[in-house]
Amino acid sequence: TASIDLNGKTLSVGDGVNRVATLTEGAKLSIENGEIQGSASTNNMIAVHMTGAHLTVNNVTMTNVDTGVRVEDHKASLGTSSTVYINNSTITADLYGVHVYGNQKASQTRTQVVIQGSAVTGAGYAGILYNGSYGGIDTVVSNTEVNGLYAAIYHPQGDSTLTVSNQSTLTGGTGLVVKGCTVTVTDSTVHGTMEDVSAPAYSPSGWTDTG
């Protein structure tokens, strides 16, 4: 268990290191008031990588990363579910802002993701991304901007809920992709920015960019 107050400072890594923080099952980390900076030249650069752990991020900016927060609960050997709280923070990632794998096949509990008063960007793919094979996830997005190149949020998984509310804004080539379970959007805005559509043949993986 650790609590880090950056006090306006930057927590960073050098070239060749592809994780700023790694949380294994049962770990708890709270980090606030500063910047987490990855290495722009390192492949698969992840600010926080977690499996069956608890993370609280408050008033933090994440930059120079491929992925801001990656949750891989499907790899939890004990079937532990993660909890993620992101408050008043900015995640700017080259690929995925937040990337979540649940563990519905391993545990009766659910992965919890709560993002409030924040901005999450996946500049090269999606702001918030899930996997259709690994659900069991409850997500709340409140008063938050989510941006992605192809989609703001991609939600294909089973046994999950997504609630977007409180003047949130979702912007992507396709604003919101829903292929599974329950999604509720209230008092919010969804932008699909794709204009010229050359629709490929249907595929069970991914989605067709229709804007």
Side-chain angles (χ1 to χ4, degrees):
T1 299
S3 179
I4 302 173
D5 187 340
L6 291 171
N7 193 28
K9 305 297 184 182
T10 299
L11 179 63
S12 62
V13 297
D15 293 343
V17 179
N18 62 6
R19 304 286 188 273
V20 179
T22 299
L23 308 182
T24 55
E25 284 185 82
K28 296 181 180 180
L29 174 65
S30 175
I31 188 164
E32 61 183 351
N33 301 329
E35 183 173 350
I36 295 177
Q37 187 177 86
S39 170
S41 62
T42 302
N43 291 330
N44 195 25
M45 182 71 239
I46 299 172
V48 180
H49 181 274
M50 56 193 295
T51 303
H54 181 100
L55 173 67
T56 300
V57 176
N58 184 51
N59 193 29
V60 171
T61 299
M62 298 182 185
T63 59
N64 280 358
V65 295
D66 292 317
T67 304
V69 176
R70 177 172 291 171
V71 180
E72 295 192 345
D73 284 353
H74 65 307
K75 295 182 179 180
S77 60
L78 301 177
T80 311
S81 296
S82 293
T83 56
V84 180
Y85 298 98
I86 299 172
N87 306 298
N88 191 32
S89 295
T90 301
I91 299 175
T92 304
D94 291 341
L95 292 176
Y96 321 110
V98 177
H99 193 181
V100 185
Y101 294 80
N103 67 351
Q104 68 183 40
K105 296 180 181 179
S107 172
Q108 296 301 312
T109 61
R110 291 171 178 259
T111 302
Q112 304 287 327
V113 179
V114 178
I115 306 174
Q116 298 176 313
S118 298
V120 177
T121 298
Y125 203 83
I128 303 174
L129 186 77
Y130 305 89
N131 184 285
S133 298
Y134 301 100
I137 305 162
D138 291 329
T139 305
V140 174
V141 175
S142 175
N143 189 29
T144 290
E145 294 184 10
V146 183
N147 301 285
L149 177 62
Y150 295 110
I153 300 178
Y154 176 49
H155 195 277
Q157 74 281 17
D159 189 28
S160 300
T161 64
L162 167 64
T163 302
V164 179
S165 65
N166 195 19
Q167 298 182 5
S168 292
T169 302
L170 312 181
T171 304
T174 302
L176 174 61
V177 180
V178 184
K179 295 180 73 176
C181 278
T182 301
V183 175
T184 304
V185 181
T186 58
D187 191 28
S188 297
T189 303
V190 180
H191 293 293
T193 61
M194 190 73 68
E195 294 181 358
D196 297 325
V197 178
S198 178
Y202 168 77
S203 168
S205 179
W207 69 94
T208 300
D209 288 310
T210 59

